[in-house]
Amino acid sequence: MRPVRTAFAGALLGTLVLAGCGQTGTTAAPTAAPTAAPTSASAAPSAAGFPVTVEAANGKVTIPKRPERIVSLSATHTETLYAIGAGSQVVAVDDRSNYPPEAPKTDLSGFKPNVEAIVARKPDLVILSDDLDDVVSELGKVNVPVLHQPAATGLDEAYEEISELGAATGHQDEADKVVTGMKTAIDDLAAKAPKDTKLTYYHELDQTPYAVTSKTFIGQIYGLFGLTNIADKAPDAAGGYPKLSAEFVAQADPDLIFLADVKCCRQNKDALAARPGWKNLSAIKNDRVTELDDDIASRWGPRVADLARSIGEAVAEASAKTDGTG
């Protein structure tokens, strides 16, 4: 069972990524197809192996038979369910689950869960990331199996959650293949990254600006590429998500800037340049501002490899320019 994030950090991160999850907008197109493309929803899950017991944040959960009416209240877990081939078993997803497009999006909320509305979908399994308003215990009172899978704090936890969802839905083999593909892709990207670049970076969650430290899930992904995080020196880490001042960022002058507030908040290089004291930042002058897909940067499931790919490409390009080879 993975440790649950502190209430403050969890609430803060949930607030910061809301704008990026489920909104429409314009962003840079991915450079490659998602590493873990959704498996065909018609793939037939196996009934063998049930009942199955899965270790989750709410303890050991026994699922008596293969679930046929799954409700997902987590955009990350929705992506996972489709990636492992369990899409045909999903009857409803929350209002932030916008990938894949065929997911049965509803007005259900994972941040303001309504037990009656959830039960009305007649689920035989509910999957969520946050136990807000005691929704887990409330659903338990009406005998609805619930898997509470908090946002992963590291890659190993992300892999573990995917595997557990595979077991819970009858798609263990498919889940194992997704995990293997993610590991292979991320390890390969990290291995090919230029060494000893000594590049610094700033990852922006929103234009307040909130950032992330190296201790967060996102920060660990950047760490695979040998980057130094300017937010690590912030006076108040705030559970890994510090609110930085414009002056702090300007003084740190990061070599690279990654924006995770593109779709939600229309941030780009020009918007950054318009901020007081930012137009002369190295990342802006040298055109090293990367517009991430807000959703991919805030959902730590099958598409994490796509986030790593975007980071790796930015590092390689910056390194080439620094070496005078680009």
Side-chain angles (χ1 to χ4, degrees):
M1 181 177 70
R2 291 153 303 284
V4 181
R5 290 174 291 144
T6 64
F8 174 79
L12 173 62
L13 180 58
T15 300
L16 294 176
V17 302
L18 269 179
C21 302
Q23 299 291 330
T24 58
T26 301
T27 186
T31 56
T35 300
T39 304
S40 172
S42 62
S46 172
F50 288 89
V52 64
T53 299
V54 177
E55 186 84 10
N58 55 318
K60 294 182 178 180
V61 179
T62 297
I63 303 170
K65 61 180 181 179
R66 184 185 67 203
E68 300 291 351
R69 297 189 60 82
I70 300 173
V71 170
S72 172
L73 301 180
S74 162
T76 295
H77 297 327
T78 296
E79 293 194 11
T80 295
L81 289 168
Y82 277 84
I84 64 176
S88 63
Q89 297 157 261
V90 178
V91 296
V93 300
D94 69 297
D95 55 358
R96 301 293 172 180
S97 292
N98 59 354
Y99 185 87
E102 62 267 28
K105 187 176 179 180
T106 69
D107 60 357
L108 293 176
S109 173
F111 292 94
K112 294 182 179 180
N114 183 315
V115 173
E116 290 184 359
I118 297 170
V119 173
R121 304 285 174 170
K122 299 180 180 180
D124 50 14
L125 179 64
V126 173
I127 301 168
L128 44 77
S129 294
D130 297 283
D131 183 15
L132 301 177
D133 298 332
D134 296 321
V135 63
V136 172
S137 63
E138 291 300 312
L139 288 171
K141 292 178 182 178
V142 291
N143 299 317
V144 175
V146 181
L147 283 183
H148 177 199
Q149 303 278 33
T153 60
L155 277 172
D156 286 343
E157 287 185 11
Y159 298 147
E160 184 179 6
E161 288 190 348
I162 292 171
S163 178
E164 289 169 350
L165 288 181
T169 60
H171 292 272
Q172 186 68 72
D173 290 345
E174 295 94 326
D176 290 344
K177 290 179 181 177
V178 168
V179 169
T180 298
M182 290 173 66
K183 288 181 177 179
T184 300
I186 293 173
D187 289 348
D188 184 59
L189 288 166
K192 291 180 179 178
K195 303 299 186 292
D196 301 322
T197 61
K198 297 182 180 180
L199 294 170
T200 60
Y201 79 95
Y202 161 59
H203 176 101
E204 180 169 289
L205 289 173
D206 75 0
Q207 66 270 40
T208 306
Y210 273 99
V212 300
T213 68
S214 295
K215 293 182 180 180
T216 63
F217 184 100
I218 308 173
Q220 292 172 47
I221 301 298
Y222 283 104
L224 296 174
F225 297 89
L227 300 177
T228 298
N229 190 344
I230 66 166
D232 288 346
K233 294 184 178 180
D236 183 5
Y241 301 92
K243 180 179 179 180
L244 306 180
S245 67
E247 293 77 15
F248 179 93
V249 177
Q251 184 174 4
D253 192 18
D255 298 305
L256 299 165
I257 293 178
F258 296 88
L259 299 177
D261 52 358
V262 178
K263 292 195 292 187
C264 74
C265 314
R266 299 180 182 177
Q267 295 304 292
N268 51 37
K269 186 179 71 172
D270 292 338
L272 296 186
R275 297 180 188 178
W278 282 38
K279 67 178 180 179
N280 291 320
L281 288 180
S282 297
I284 294 176
K285 290 194 300 181
N286 296 325
D287 197 24
R288 296 178 182 171
V289 177
T290 299
E291 297 179 19
L292 300 172
D293 182 301
D294 301 25
D295 296 334
I296 293 176
S298 65
R299 299 174 187 175
W300 306 326
R303 292 197 288 171
V304 169
D306 296 312
L307 173 62
R309 183 175 294 108
S310 295
I311 296 171
E313 290 173 350
V315 172
E317 182 177 353
S319 178
K321 289 181 178 179
T322 300
D323 295 339
T325 58

